[in-house]
Amino acid sequence: MAQRRTKKTDAPKIDIGAEIFASLRELEKLKGISVDYMVERLKQAMANAYRKDREDHRDIPAENVVVDLSEEGLFMYQVKTVVEEVEDSALEIHIDAARNINPSIQLGDNVSIPVDIQKFGRIAAQTAKQVVIQGIREAERGVVYESYSSKTQELLTGTVSRIDPASGDMLVTVGQGNEQHNAILRASEQIPGEYYQPGDHIRVYILEARQSSRSTNVYVSRTHPNVVRRLFELETPEIAEGQVEIRNIAREAGSRSKMAVRALMEGVDPVGACVGPRGGRVSAVVEELRGEKIDIVVWSEDPCEYVRAALSPADVVSVELIPGQKNACRVLVPDDQLSLAIGKEGQNARLAARLTGFKIDIKPVSQAE
């Protein structure tokens, strides 16, 4: 026989609907957790509490418990199937008993029987409380994850809150208001030689937000090449206005970076725009990076010209592509420029290779002859 739902009869209620909704609206303002989400979690908690605290100790199916929570109050019903012979009293009700509730009931119908919520025991109430707390935590983690997932690759200002003496990892408080969160600045993402104390302000680059079953972790960096990119975007109006483009950055954090730029409008000097009047813009970036040297060069479609610029500040006599080798070139420099072109411990040549994507073989003019 086809089953059909019957009308619910009046159930005992707890007149806390308005109070609950007022609290949930306040929670929504403070934590950004929607009222609808928390209502569903609360209904689930109450249903689970009832299922686990029944007098017959039967853990009945979830679909046999209905919770109605609104500003009118909190109601609960147990759904039973109308039968002629009851074999399972937890899930079935005799037709005569059912017709005392609803005279028009038929065999096979489902009837919603009011539950006296006031009779819930302390264990059931505690269970409901824990589920709601868990729901709040899950929602908070979801809010944090969504918020910081959308902020990846952004530069934020935070405050150092704690430094792990064993690992050197830092906790940095980023965001404001409801979005405030402790981000993790691992020791490997810190600029060598930088030292901070709790309470210090610090700019960090959002790498990623990673969600687990227990928490949402936000990871940040000071060493990522895009830290340099974002700082120049903040300092250089021509970049923000689309007149100058940063093409690529090669960085050894705390020591030196090379940045290739190009003009997107005629008459604009891309290097001059990034350097700024009296060097003010590049100086602001260098100061933020605690003295890290920055070479700004002009990007070129011509790979030979690009490599020549990337080896700045060294003078270059010639650049030739090596036949039969992909992305490889030979560079000739004056004998007195060889050490400058290679750089201390090979740094200048190494950064130029990363910036251009070319293998660079540097030779002095005398050796070439």
Side-chain angles (χ1 to χ4, degrees):
M1 181 181 295
Q3 293 185 348
R4 62 175 182 267
R5 298 283 178 184
T6 64
K7 237 194 218 179
K8 297 173 183 174
T9 58
D10 291 339
K13 72 173 181 177
I14 300 179
D15 192 17
I16 55 174
E19 182 181 344
I20 287 176
F21 275 83
S23 300
L24 295 183
R25 289 193 188 96
E26 188 65 24
L27 185 64
E28 186 173 43
K29 290 179 183 178
L30 294 174
K31 299 288 188 179
I33 304 169
S34 73
V35 172
D36 290 342
Y37 175 84
M38 284 311 305
V39 167
E40 289 304 315
R41 292 306 302 244
L42 186 55
K43 287 164 64 174
Q44 179 185 348
M46 296 300 293
N48 288 341
Y50 171 72
R51 290 167 57 206
K52 292 178 180 180
D53 200 43
R54 287 168 47 83
E55 293 179 357
D56 59 6
H57 304 292
R58 282 286 306 278
D59 188 6
I60 62 176
E63 59 266 23
N64 286 80
V65 180
V66 176
V67 178
D68 184 1
L69 175 61
S70 68
E71 298 198 49
E72 300 295 323
L74 178 63
F75 307 85
M76 184 178 294
Y77 305 87
Q78 183 182 346
V79 179
K80 292 187 178 183
T81 303
V82 178
V83 296
E84 196 164 9
E85 293 185 9
V86 176
E87 297 180 359
D88 187 344
S89 60
L91 302 176
E92 298 172 337
I93 184 172
H94 192 274
I95 189 169
D96 292 339
R99 283 178 174 165
N100 288 332
I101 299 171
N102 185 344
S104 63
I105 205 79
Q106 301 294 324
L107 288 172
D109 287 348
N110 287 336
V111 61
S112 297
I113 303 170
V115 173
D116 188 355
I117 305 176
Q118 302 283 2
K119 292 182 179 179
F120 271 5
R122 187 176 62 181
I123 295 177
Q126 186 66 22
T127 301
K129 179 181 177 182
Q130 290 301 321
V131 172
V132 172
I133 292 173
Q134 181 183 358
I136 292 173
R137 289 174 179 167
E138 288 177 2
E140 286 179 332
R141 289 198 296 269
V143 168
V144 170
Y145 179 76
E146 291 297 327
S147 174
Y148 285 93
S149 291
S150 65
K151 287 184 174 65
T152 55
Q153 302 185 20
E154 287 187 18
L155 196 67
L156 299 180
T157 298
T159 304
V160 177
S161 59
R162 188 169 68 85
I163 302 172
D164 188 328
S167 65
D169 293 350
M170 290 185 196
L171 283 183
V172 180
T173 304
V174 293
Q176 295 180 345
N178 295 339
E179 296 184 357
Q180 196 171 77
H181 189 71
N182 277 335
I184 301 170
L185 179 60
R186 290 170 287 199
S188 60
E189 296 294 338
Q190 297 171 27
I191 296 176
E194 282 193 341
Y195 297 98
Y196 291 93
Q197 297 293 329
D200 289 347
H201 294 291
I202 183 173
R203 272 179 167 169
V204 291
Y205 177 78
I206 306 297
L207 288 175
E208 64 172 335
R210 194 181 299 168
Q211 195 170 29
S212 68
S213 59
R214 292 188 176 183
S215 64
T216 294
N217 291 326
V218 178
Y219 294 94
V220 296
S221 175
R222 288 273 294 168
T223 62
H224 197 282
N226 278 348
V227 173
V228 176
R229 181 186 298 273
R230 296 291 177 256
L231 287 171
F232 272 103
E233 288 173 349
L234 290 172
E235 295 292 338
T236 310
E238 288 85 349
I239 295 176
E241 294 167 5
Q243 299 177 22
V244 174
E245 178 188 25
I246 299 175
R247 291 288 299 184
N248 199 13
I249 296 172
R251 186 183 185 202
E252 293 187 357
S255 177
R256 192 172 186 177
S257 291
K258 285 184 180 287
M259 183 172 75
V261 295
R262 70 165 178 169
L264 299 178
M265 292 182 63
E266 289 186 9
V268 176
D269 175 10
V271 174
C274 294
V275 171
R278 299 182 180 179
R281 294 170 184 173
V282 70
S283 295
V285 175
V286 170
E287 183 180 355
E288 173 62 33
L289 299 178
R290 302 295 195 271
E292 183 175 318
K293 295 178 181 178
I294 300 175
D295 298 333
I296 306 172
V297 304
V298 177
W299 177 87
S300 175
E301 291 183 355
D302 182 342
C304 294
E305 287 300 316
Y306 190 19
V307 170
R308 180 190 296 271
L311 286 169
S312 173
D315 294 329
V316 174
V317 174
S318 66
V319 180
E320 293 180 353
L321 300 180
I322 300 176
Q325 293 188 31
K326 185 178 180 181
N327 293 342
C329 63
R330 184 175 293 111
V331 176
L332 294 183
V333 299
D335 287 38
D336 62 353
Q337 295 284 301
L338 181 62
S339 60
L340 185 60
I342 293 173
K344 185 179 180 180
E345 298 179 350
Q347 185 185 63
N348 193 57
R350 186 167 58 248
L351 286 173
R354 288 185 200 166
L355 188 72
T356 61
F358 273 75
K359 296 178 182 178
I360 303 175
D361 180 21
I362 303 175
K363 302 289 185 184
V365 171
S366 61
Q367 184 176 334
E369 292 174 351

